[in-house]
Amino acid sequence: MAGKYRLRATLWRDREGVRHRRGDVVTPPEEDIDRLLRARAIEPLGEQAQVEGKSEVVGSQAEKSKAEPVAPQNREQSPASAQALERPKNAAAKPVWEAYAIERGVENAAELSKDQIIDAVNALDAK
């Protein structure tokens, strides 16, 4: 599975001490690839992504088919349906808040900091 991977983690230092940031293309040591893939710190590039990504999609679709059916999501939710979503704790990680904000209808949540996301959600709650 050796090859090039895109870094999904915010920051990673390879064994030589070189710093890599999210989005960089890296070639991690063979013995670290499985661990980094499981941790979702890296994602395959090119042909590897198509082959490995396909198996992930099939696996995730199988898991979804076992789960309860979910109603289509409406970007403009009523206050009652907005409260049906469980609000994360303030100490929750940014990706958790980001997903919650997107579900609530904050369109640019990926570009905001965690504090800005919380403020945007609080503004939605105040309406």
Side-chain angles (χ1 to χ4, degrees):
M1 283 188 1
K4 296 191 182 274
Y5 294 84
R6 182 170 316 281
L7 187 63
R8 293 180 67 189
T10 305
L11 182 67
W12 179 65
R13 233 181 249 273
D14 61 18
R15 291 194 173 165
E16 288 80 39
V18 178
R19 286 174 109 179
H20 300 280
R21 297 188 184 275
R22 180 179 292 151
D24 288 353
V25 176
V26 297
T27 306
E30 183 71 33
E31 60 272 8
D32 291 341
I33 291 175
D34 286 335
R35 178 182 58 84
L36 293 170
L37 284 170
R38 280 193 313 271
R40 295 186 177 190
I42 58 173
E43 62 187 5
L45 283 180
E47 293 176 19
Q48 286 179 321
Q50 293 172 357
V51 172
E52 293 176 16
K54 209 173 215 182
S55 64
E56 284 183 22
V57 170
V58 170
S60 65
Q61 287 174 347
E63 290 173 13
K64 286 181 184 177
S65 67
K66 293 178 186 175
E68 295 178 14
V70 178
Q73 298 172 359
N74 185 0
R75 283 281 194 219
E76 311 244 344
Q77 296 180 344
S78 66
S81 64
Q83 291 185 4
L85 295 172
E86 187 175 336
R87 180 185 174 102
K89 295 184 178 186
N90 284 348
K94 182 186 182 244
V96 174
W97 272 102
E98 190 175 313
Y100 177 74
I102 290 170
E103 289 293 318
R104 291 289 311 276
V106 178
E107 294 181 14
N108 59 345
E111 301 166 4
L112 301 175
S113 70
K114 179 180 158 185
D115 291 333
Q116 291 171 326
I117 292 171
I118 293 172
D119 290 341
V121 169
N122 288 339
L124 285 176
D125 290 342
K127 288 183 181 180

